[in-house]
C-alpha cells in the first residue's frame, strides 16, 4: 500500500538522478589493489606503534606486570617465600605496588583533567576534532585496562566502564552538530557522577616520584 | 566450484582461491565504498582494508548468512569508521582555512541539479545517507542493509523514508522534473 507521503514518481526520479550523478563509481583497479592487499598481509606482523599507543601499551603492561607480581608474591607458598627471603618478597611487593600506583594514577589524573576540561567547555563548539582525538587516546588505554587484571576489582571495573562510555561518546562527536551531543554527554556525566568517582579513585597528593625510580 | 568450496580452500591456505574470492566480490565492495566515500583513493583504501580483514577473519565466518552479506558488513564498518576519521581531519583543516579566509567575499554560482543533489545527499545524517545510497542507489535489500549496519529491517525502511522526505524538501526547486 502506498503511504500518504510516498511519491513513486519522485522516488524513481531521485534514484535515476542519484545513480547517474552522485559518486558514480569508476572501474576498480583490481590488480593494483590486489598487489597492495597481498603486501599488507605479508607484512601484517610488523606493527608500528604510534607514540600514544606505545604509552598506552606501556601503561597497561606495567599494570599487568605490577598486579601479576603483586599477586604472585602474595599467593606464593610460605615455604618458597621464606626460601626467597622476606626482604626480596617485600621489595617485589613494594615495586609492584609503586608501579601500579604510578601507572594508574597517571591514567586517572589525565582522564580527570580531560573530562573536567570537556565539561567546562561543554557549551563551546571549538576544538571538537582535538577533543575527539584525545578521547580516542584515553579510550585505548581504558580498554587496555579493562582487559587487564586491574578490572578484577569491581569498583575499578565499574569506573572504567563508565569512563569507556563517556570517552567513546566524545570520540564520536560530530564537529558540525556537536552542541546538542555535548550537552547530552555532560548530562550523562552528571547523572553517573563519573567525575566525583574518578577523583575519589585518584590518591591524594603527588605521585611519589623518588620511589618510582627503577620501577618504570 | 561453489562459494562454500572456495571459502574452504581459502581457509586451507590456497592463495589462488583467495584471488578467486576477491575477483568475485571486489567490484561490488569497491562500488559501495566509492558511493559512500566519493573519492577513488579512499574507496581503494577501504576496499583493501575490507579484504584484508575478511581474509584474516574468515575463520569466524559461520555461513549463517551469505558470504556477500558478511563481506558487506565489514565493508560498511570499514568505510563508515574511515569516513568519520577523514571528516574530523578535514574539519580541522577547514577550521584553519576559514581562519585564513576572513574578509574574503565568495561568489556562489547558481547550482545545477547535480550540485544540489550532491549537497542534499551529503547533508543527510549518516544513517539516512548510508541507507539511501545502499538501497536506492546500489540496490541492496532492507534485509541486507539491516545485517550490514546491525539494525532492524524496520529501522532501515524508516531511515530510507526519512532520507527521501528530506531530499524531497531539499530538491523542491526541481519538482517540475519529476512531476512531468
Amino acid at each position: 500500500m502506498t503511504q500518504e507521503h510516498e511519491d513513486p514518481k519522485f522516488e524513481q526520479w531521485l534514484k535515476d538522478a542519484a545513480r547517474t550523478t552522485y559518486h558514480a563509481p569508476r572501474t576498480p583497479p583490481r590488480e593494483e589493489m590486489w598487489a597492495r592487499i597481498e603486501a599488507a598481509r605479508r607484512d601484517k606482523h610488523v606493527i608500528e606503534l604510534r607514540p600514544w599507543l606505545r604509552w598506552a601499551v606501556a601503561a597497561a603492561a606495567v599494570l599487568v606486570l605490577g598486579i601479576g607480581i603483586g599477586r604472585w608474591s602474595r599467593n606464593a607458598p610460605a615455604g618458597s617465600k621464606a626460601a626467597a627471603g622476606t626482604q626480596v618478597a617485600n621489595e617485589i611487593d613494594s615495586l609492584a605496588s609503586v608501579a601500579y600506583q604510578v601507572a594508574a594514577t597517571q591514567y586517572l589524573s589525565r582522564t580527570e583533567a580531560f573530562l573536567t576540561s570537556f565539561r567546562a567547555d561543554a557549551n563551546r563548539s571549538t576544538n571538537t576534532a582535538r577533543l575527539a582525538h584525545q578521547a580516542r587516546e584515553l579510550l585505548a588505554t581504558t580498554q587496555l585496562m579493562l582487559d587487564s587484571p586491574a578490572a578484577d576489582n569491581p569498583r575499578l571495573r565499574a569506573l572504567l566502564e563508565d569512563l569507556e562510555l563517556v570517552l567513546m561518546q566524545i570520540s564520536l562527536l560530530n564537529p558540525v552538530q556537536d552542541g546538542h551531543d555535548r550537552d547530552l554527554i555532560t548530562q550523562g556525566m552528571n547523572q553517573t557522577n563519573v567525575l566525583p568517582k574518578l577523583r575519589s579513585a585518584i590518591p591524594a597528593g603527588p605521585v611519589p616520584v623518588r620511589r618510582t625510580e627503577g620501577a618504570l | 566450484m561453489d562459494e562454500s568450496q572456495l571459502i574452504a580452500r581459502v581457509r586451507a591456505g590456497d592463495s589462488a582461491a583467495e584471488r578467486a574470492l576477491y575477483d568475485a566480490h571486489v567490484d561490488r565492495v569497491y562500488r559501495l565504498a566509492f558511493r559512500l566515500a566519493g573519492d577513488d583513493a579512499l574507496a581503494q583504501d577501504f576496499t583493501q582494508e575490507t579484504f584484508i580483514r575478511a581474509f584474516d577473519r574468515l575463520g569466524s565466518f559461520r555461513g549463517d548468512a551469505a558470504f556477500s552479506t558478511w563481506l558487506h558488513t565489514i565493508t560498511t564498518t570499514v568505510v563508515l569508521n574511515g569516513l568519520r576519521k577523514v571528516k574530523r581531519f578535514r574539519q580541522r583543516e577547514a577550521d584553519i582555512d576559514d581562519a585564513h579566509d576572513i574578509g574574503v567575499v565568495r561568489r556562489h554560482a547558481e547550482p545545477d541539479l547535480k550540485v544540489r543533489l550532491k549537497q542534499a545527499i551529503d547533508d543527510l545524517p549518516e544513517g539516512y545517507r548510508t541507507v539511501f545510497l545502499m538501497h536506492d542507489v546500489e540496490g541492496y535489500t532492507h534485509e541486507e542493509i539491516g545485517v550490514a549496519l546491525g539494525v532492524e529491517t524496520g529501522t532501515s525502511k524508516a531511515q530510507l523514508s526519512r532520507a527521501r522526505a528530506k531530499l524531497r524538501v531539499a530538491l523542491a526547486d526541481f519538482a517540475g522534473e519529476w512531476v512531468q
Side-chain angles (χ1 to χ4, degrees), chain A residues 51-103:
Chain A
W52 64 265
L53 190 54
R54 258 182 250 140
W55 183 92
V57 169
V62 167
L63 276 175
V64 172
L65 183 66
I67 292 165
I69 291 172
R71 284 184 173 173
W72 171 77
S73 58
R74 272 200 306 275
N75 298 336
S80 67
K81 210 174 210 176
T86 308
Q87 191 179 350
V88 173
N90 287 344
E91 280 187 13
I92 290 171
D93 260 333
S94 174
L95 189 66
S97 171
V98 172
Y100 169 79
Q101 188 184 346
V102 171

Side-chain angles (χ1 to χ4, degrees), chain A residues 7 22-23 31 36 171, chain B residues 19 35 44 88 122 168:
Chain A
D7 180 345
Y22 186 81
H23 297 172
E31 296 304 323
R36 288 194 289 265
S171 74
Chain B
R19 177 62 201 246
R35 287 285 191 195
Q44 287 188 38
R88 288 194 193 102
D122 288 346
R168 190 184 167 108

Side-chain angles (χ1 to χ4, degrees), chain A residues 79-185:
Chain A
S80 67
K81 210 174 210 176
T86 308
Q87 191 179 350
V88 173
N90 287 344
E91 280 187 13
I92 290 171
D93 260 333
S94 174
L95 189 66
S97 171
V98 172
Y100 169 79
Q101 188 184 346
V102 171
T105 303
Q106 282 181 347
Y107 158 76
L108 294 172
S109 300
R110 204 169 155 226
T111 308
E112 191 263 336
F114 173 73
L115 292 181
T116 302
S117 165
F118 172 82
R119 196 168 64 170
D121 292 333
N123 296 325
R124 301 177 197 168
S125 59
T126 53
N127 288 329
T128 303
R130 192 187 302 163
L131 279 173
H133 177 73
Q134 290 172 331
R136 279 198 299 278
E137 290 182 12
L138 290 168
L139 181 61
T141 309
T142 308
Q143 288 167 337
L144 285 168
M145 288 185 72
L146 273 166
D147 288 333
S148 80
D152 288 350
N153 178 320
R155 284 183 63 191
L156 185 55
R157 180 170 195 86
L159 175 61
L160 290 171
E161 285 173 346
D162 284 347
L163 291 174
E164 183 187 35
L165 180 62
V166 174
L167 293 169
M168 178 86 74
Q169 289 171 325
I170 299 173
S171 74
L172 296 174
L173 270 179
N174 182 337
V176 180
Q177 303 169 321
D178 66 348
H180 181 59
D181 291 344
R182 281 191 186 204
D183 290 342
L184 288 176
I185 295 170

Side-chain angles (χ1 to χ4, degrees), chain A residues 5 7 10-11 13 19 21-23 26 28-31 33-34 36 41 44 136 171-172 175, chain B residues 18-19 22-23 27 30 34-35 38 44 48 55-56 88 91 117 122 129 136-137 161 164 168:
Chain A
H5 59 274
D7 180 345
F10 167 71
E11 286 164 16
W13 174 85
R19 279 178 188 155
T21 67
Y22 186 81
H23 297 172
R26 302 161 45 175
R30 285 184 172 201
E31 296 304 323
M33 287 196 292
W34 179 250
R36 288 194 289 265
R41 295 190 70 214
K44 71 178 178 183
R136 279 198 299 278
S171 74
L172 296 174
Chain B
E18 281 186 355
R19 177 62 201 246
Y22 167 83
D23 282 338
D27 288 358
Y30 175 84
F34 195 98
R35 287 285 191 195
Q44 287 188 38
Q48 288 157 211
F55 287 138
D56 285 350
R88 288 194 193 102
Q91 183 61 40
L117 180 62
D122 288 346
R129 177 175 174 273
D136 275 9
V137 180
S161 177
R164 285 172 176 166
R168 190 184 167 108

